[in-house]
């Protein structure tokens, strides 16, 4: 029986090339898995952050719907984002701070007289800070909001320096 020239030198070369290709394919698949996992974690972190910002905004809106400027004080607001009757986030609202006060501009006379708009009305600017700390996801968020409130001189002197 006759063998082809160079056949002895090629014995096992296919096996070595196959193993190298299999190793490269394994490395490619494992790196894709690691990248996919890290991207999933990043998306999860962004979702937790966005939910905590939404909870802080909801709590701020709840505070703004009350006459908070009459006696500003800090409080904790429980927020249920998904309407399952369970508290999802606890939001700590710091005491609203009056940042600035200026006399309201006089308005032109009109056919309707508004009792709130008089010479003694003041524009007050308030800063409201809402902080959310979710122990489940580790999200820690601080949202600062500003709002303008019209106050009488007596109300302004009571709560805004």
């Amino acid at each position: 029986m006759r063998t082809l020239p160079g056949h002895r030198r090629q014995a096992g070369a296919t096996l070595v090339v196959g193993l190298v290709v299999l190793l490269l394919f394994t490395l490619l698949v494992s790196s894709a898995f690691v990248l996919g996992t890290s991207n999933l974690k990043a998306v999860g972190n962004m979702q937790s952050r966005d939910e905590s910002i939404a909870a802080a905004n909801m709590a701020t809106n709840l505070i703004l719907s009350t006459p908070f400027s009459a006696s500003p004080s800090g409080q904790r607001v429980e927020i249920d984002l998904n309407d399952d009757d369970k508290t999802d986030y606890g939001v700590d609202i710091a005491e609203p701070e009056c940042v600035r006060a200026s006399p309201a501009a006089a308005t032109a006379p009109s056919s309707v007289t508004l009792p709130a708009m008089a010479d003694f009305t003041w524009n007050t600017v308030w800063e409201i800070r809402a902080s959310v700390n979710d122990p489940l996801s580790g999200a820690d968020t601080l949202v600062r909001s500003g709002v303008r409130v019209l106050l009488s001189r007596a109300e302004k002197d009571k709560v805004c320096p």
Side-chain angles (χ1 to χ4, degrees), residues 52-53 55-64 68 72-77 90-99 125-133 140-147:
S52 65
I53 289 173
N57 286 333
M58 286 177 70
T60 302
N61 287 338
L62 286 173
I63 296 299
L64 291 176
F68 72 93
S73 63
Q75 56 187 299
R76 183 167 178 83
V77 179
V91 182
D92 293 315
I93 303 287
E95 180 177 333
E97 178 184 349
C98 181
V99 181
V125 178
W126 294 80
E127 180 180 64
I128 299 175
R129 293 178 185 211
S131 62
V132 181
N133 187 352
D140 190 15
T141 306
L142 174 67
V143 175
R144 293 175 40 199
S145 300
V147 64

Side-chain angles (χ1 to χ4, degrees), residues 14-156:
T14 304
L15 179 63
V16 171
V17 170
L19 287 174
V20 168
V21 168
L22 186 61
L23 177 67
L24 290 175
F25 184 70
T26 303
L27 289 173
L28 180 70
V29 168
S30 65
S31 66
F33 180 75
V34 167
L35 285 175
T37 303
S38 64
N39 286 341
L40 183 63
K41 287 180 184 178
V43 168
N45 288 341
M46 287 302 296
Q47 180 178 358
S48 296
R49 179 181 175 271
D50 288 345
E51 283 182 359
S52 65
I53 289 173
N57 286 333
M58 286 177 70
T60 302
N61 287 338
L62 286 173
I63 296 299
L64 291 176
S65 66
T66 66
F68 72 93
S69 61
S71 59
S73 63
Q75 56 187 299
R76 183 167 178 83
V77 179
E78 305 293 331
I79 299 294
D80 177 21
L81 284 178
N82 54 7
D83 293 329
D84 63 352
D85 296 328
K86 295 179 184 173
T87 299
D88 295 319
Y89 291 93
V91 182
D92 293 315
I93 303 287
E95 180 177 333
E97 178 184 349
C98 181
V99 181
R100 184 177 65 228
S102 61
T107 58
S110 68
S111 60
V112 178
T113 303
L114 298 176
M117 294 299 293
D119 291 337
F120 56 85
T121 304
W122 288 75
N123 286 322
T124 58
V125 178
W126 294 80
E127 180 180 64
I128 299 175
R129 293 178 185 211
S131 62
V132 181
N133 187 352
D134 181 27
L136 184 63
S137 67
D140 190 15
T141 306
L142 174 67
V143 175
R144 293 175 40 199
S145 300
V147 64
R148 180 180 68 100
V149 179
L150 287 173
L151 297 178
S152 68
R153 179 183 299 274
E155 291 170 328
K156 189 249 341 156

